[in-house]
Amino acid sequence: MDLAQLREACSKYTKPAGFKPSYGTAGFRAEASLLHSTVFRCGLLMAARALKTGAATGLVVTASHNPVADNGVKLVEPTGYMLDQSWEVWADKLAVAEDTDALCNVIRELYQQEDIPYGSGTVMLAYDTRPSAEELVKAAGSGVQALGGLPIVCGLLTTPQLHWMVRHCNNSLKHTESTYYEEFASGFCTLVKGCKAEPQALTVDCANGVGAEALKTLSERIGAQLSVTLRNTGEGGLNEACGADYVQKERQFPAGMDDRQHGARCASLDGDADRLVYFHGMPAGNLQLLDGDRIAVLAALLIRDTLQKLPSDLPSPSVGIVQTAYANGASTQYIREQLRLETVVTPTGVKHLHAAAEHFDIGIYFEANGHGTVLFKPELIQRLHELGDCHEAAKDLLALVDMINQAVGDALSGILLVEAALRRRGWGLTEWADLYTDLPSRQLKTLTRDSGRKTDFTALQIKVKDRSVVVTADAETRAVTPEGLQSRINDSVSAVPSGRAFVRPSGTEDVVRVYAEAATQQAADDLAAEVARHVYDLAAGIGAPP
Ligand code: G16
């Protein structure tokens, strides 16, 4: 490490006074103009991580579902997974270092404690469509170079594409963008070959984000077997009244999509295309959501159908589903009672779900918001390869491995999974939706600042001074602080038939989230509002009381 070069580079990226970034649910996120020093430091971090692991790492400049004025970084391990949780502490220490001296001290400490070898680490960089991307990618590259590393700018990509590329690169596999499309397309075509059901028309809301171009390319590779029409491809504001987060939380049709006729099949991606939800219009004109819970259930059915066709002398692989507290109670009940599969609950954040899913031979993990994937253990993949040529079912499972991003949740791969599963069963969205009935639920945000953003649609907005005063336990189902909050939530919940509610501070936005579920929509809405008022009362609410 050339200390003089490091000091000079660090001094060009000073942290704004008073700015205290912290590594959240999926990396750093804030208003873009604040982030140059943070992204530079993430470049340093990932160059060091590449040296530590002896393999390429990755960094995506994106703020995913957040408004266009925000930006952020997602950090990628050599495996293609998210940054190892044991290194989040280094990310935080680097990000909050006040000045060049403090920053260099943290780097010295990192090198000593982690025993980082000297050398040059490779970091693959990508970015989404935000106008602030160019400068922030430069900052990331400068960070990598400041530690003598090699930044490789892979370009405008969806977040899951970069995760996939890093994983493939480190496994000495072809890792071009074109190979990504080819592998997914080929897996999908294998799975739908011979299906009697014709492809159904699907309209996809691309959130005006990076997923539009990627999905266009993928569908062109697949050809007639996939029939998609793209909407919100960049003509409107990123994630503005559209995208997976909007559709899932607000239960509204996205802007520019009035496919309200009963049964028209629609889907929404988020801004960096790592989340996916499906929906369709109901006879009354309202929207029925098919969220991440339902995608998990459909994936489990496809896998069960396929596993049943494997030779009976093969040991049955363990299959499990990982969810968070946001999973609708009806989905968990269906998985346990009808599918007879094990379910595991983890805190929010794919890093937690992913780790839990790795315990199964086939681990299906999805957050209700549509972020998730299906992981296949390498030993199982090996066994399937051994059976491969003589067994259709083994070939189908291997096609699934090709088609499902093994690094991270991927909305494009999710579309192929859903479409293949529905085609193989000859189902439409109605049959899928009829598997179980969701308990009515409501999500609210208690805002911590008056952002005036168009994306805050909730009628009830409660402001708190500092969301970090809300600390949770038991996979976020229990509020440990502020004192008294949980007992008030318990009292409210106990008065509501089939009631359930929890609160948690978001790790991607400056808000406290409130979730409530009940036997009727009115009861779920009322319960959410009541719990939000408890948050206002006990977590230093500001502004007018609700
Ligand atoms: C990220 C994470 C997800 C998480 C979501 C919301 O998604 O990858 O696991 O569910 O944030 O997190 P929170 O409720 O803490 O704000 P994305 O798509 O925004 O990157």
Side-chain angles (χ1 to χ4, degrees):
M1 170 174 35
D2 179 337
L3 267 177
Q5 178 190 321
L6 175 66
R7 287 192 72 83
E8 197 197 326
C10 292
S11 64
K12 287 188 190 144
Y13 290 96
T14 48
K15 184 176 75 64
F19 180 48
K20 295 209 179 316
S22 95
Y23 189 99
T25 312
F28 294 98
R29 239 171 254 193
E31 213 208 295
S33 61
L34 294 170
L35 278 172
H36 294 76
S37 65
T38 315
V39 178
F40 168 79
R41 292 158 188 215
C42 287
L44 295 172
L45 180 81
M46 296 319 283
R49 185 74 188 147
L51 287 172
K52 167 82 184 176
T53 55
T57 57
L59 183 158
V60 190
V61 173
T62 177
S64 192
H65 73 273
N66 291 43
V68 69
D70 285 358
N71 216 326
V73 268
K74 292 186 177 180
L75 305 176
V76 185
E77 280 285 296
T79 50
Y81 306 161
M82 294 177 107
L83 176 68
D84 192 287
Q85 287 180 54
S86 66
W87 270 51
E88 289 180 12
V89 57
W90 291 117
D92 279 334
K93 279 188 174 183
L94 288 168
V96 298
E98 279 305 330
D99 52 27
T100 300
D101 284 343
L103 182 54
C104 290
N105 285 341
V106 177
I107 292 169
R108 209 168 293 125
E109 197 191 334
L110 166 68
Y111 267 67
Q112 277 166 6
Q113 286 197 19
E114 297 290 343
D115 204 11
I116 309 276
Y118 288 94
S120 173
T122 298
V123 185
M124 297 164 74
L125 307 176
Y127 49 90
D128 72 13
T129 53
R130 286 161 203 270
S132 51
E134 198 181 323
E135 277 187 25
L136 291 174
V137 172
K138 261 192 216 147
S142 303
V144 176
Q145 282 168 330
L147 276 193
L150 175 68
I152 298 180
V153 182
C154 303
L156 185 70
L157 293 173
T158 72
T159 295
Q161 282 180 319
L162 190 85
H163 281 260
W164 181 95
M165 282 179 184
V166 170
R167 180 178 175 82
H168 271 52
C169 170
N170 289 315
N171 286 336
S172 306
L173 296 167
K174 272 195 184 170
H175 55 276
T176 61
E177 192 180 342
S178 169
T179 321
Y180 167 94
Y181 297 119
E182 275 158 30
E183 269 194 31
F184 280 26
S186 132
F188 179 74
C189 291
T190 303
L191 282 161
V192 298
K193 201 167 102 195
C195 280
K196 288 197 194 91
E198 291 293 312
Q200 295 292 302
L202 171 70
T203 307
V204 183
D205 154 30
C206 300
N208 292 313
V210 65
E213 207 43 47
L215 183 54
K216 180 167 172 271
T217 311
L218 177 64
S219 69
E220 283 165 2
R221 291 290 160 101
I222 292 174
Q225 292 289 6
L226 186 71
S227 163
V228 292
T229 305
L230 307 185
R231 299 274 179 81
N232 295 328
T233 56
E235 58 281 13
L238 177 66
N239 297 320
E240 204 171 292
C242 63
D245 195 61
Y246 172 74
V247 172
Q248 189 243 348
K249 297 222 169 57
E250 309 300 332
R251 309 283 163 92
Q252 301 284 339
F253 288 90
M257 281 178 70
D258 37 28
D259 308 76
R260 291 171 195 227
Q261 72 270 33
H262 181 40
R265 186 184 292 197
C266 304
S268 265
L269 321 177
D270 71 340
D272 65 340
D274 61 3
R275 292 199 214 171
L276 169 72
V277 293
Y278 268 65
F279 59 95
H280 61 168
M282 297 298 281
N286 52 335
L287 171 148
Q288 182 173 35
L289 179 73
L290 294 115
D291 60 4
D293 302 341
R294 297 219 179 239
I295 298 174
V297 164
L298 192 63
L301 285 171
L302 172 62
I303 286 161
R304 190 182 69 180
D305 291 350
T306 317
L307 286 176
Q308 278 167 353
K309 294 184 195 141
L310 278 178
S312 53
D313 53 342
L314 205 74
S316 338
S318 60
V319 182
I321 299 193
V322 186
Q323 304 186 304
T324 69
Y326 287 112
N328 196 279
S331 75
T332 314
Q333 191 180 3
Y334 181 85
I335 293 164
R336 287 186 186 150
E337 292 175 9
Q338 303 298 319
L339 298 179
R340 298 192 175 282
L341 290 177
E342 192 182 328
T343 59
V344 176
V345 182
T346 72
T348 300
V350 284
K351 58 191 179 191
H352 301 297
L353 289 98
H354 191 106
E358 284 186 296
H359 294 296
F360 298 99
D361 292 328
I362 302 178
I364 302 167
Y365 74 84
F366 274 91
E367 296 183 295
N369 63 21
H371 200 149
T373 193
V374 182
L375 300 179
F376 293 78
K377 263 213 177 124
E379 296 78 6
L380 174 64
I381 298 176
Q382 178 59 36
R383 284 213 306 272
L384 294 170
H385 274 298
E386 285 157 13
L387 281 174
D389 284 342
C390 28
H391 283 284
E392 283 307 309
K395 274 198 240 166
D396 284 348
L397 287 165
L398 287 170
L400 272 176
V401 176
D402 282 345
M403 193 192 79
I404 301 177
N405 196 325
Q406 294 296 292
V408 78
D410 183 331
L412 269 54
S413 146
I415 287 177
L416 302 186
L417 171 63
V418 169
E419 293 302 317
L422 294 177
R423 285 253 322 260
R424 284 168 70 103
R425 286 197 154 226
W427 277 6
L429 296 200
T430 309
E431 289 86 347
W432 181 18
D434 284 349
L435 286 174
Y436 60 86
T437 306
D438 276 320
L439 278 166
S441 66
R442 175 63 62 200
Q443 278 194 60
L444 298 176
K445 297 178 193 183
T446 61
L447 298 181
T448 51
R449 58 189 149 116
D450 204 353
S451 61
R453 285 171 180 160
K454 279 195 191 161
T455 41
D456 297 329
F457 287 93
T458 41
L460 185 71
Q461 296 183 352
I462 299 157
K463 297 174 189 171
V464 300
K465 228 189 254 163
D466 173 11
R467 72 189 197 272
S468 69
V469 299
V470 178
V471 175
T472 64
D474 302 338
E476 303 178 324
T477 54
R478 189 165 59 82
V480 180
T481 62
E483 209 187 320
L485 177 58
Q486 188 57 45
S487 65
R488 284 218 201 168
I489 295 173
N490 292 347
D491 289 348
S492 298
V493 166
S494 63
V496 176
S498 303
R500 184 168 76 87
F502 64 90
V503 301
R504 54 175 287 278
S506 162
T508 62
E509 294 176 68
D510 199 7
V511 300
V512 176
R513 300 198 193 281
V514 174
Y515 177 88
E517 207 170 85
T520 66
Q521 190 59 56
Q522 189 60 53
D525 291 352
D526 292 346
L527 180 57
E530 198 168 309
V531 170
R533 281 192 286 274
H534 298 328
V535 175
Y536 177 90
D537 288 346
L538 295 174
I542 51 176

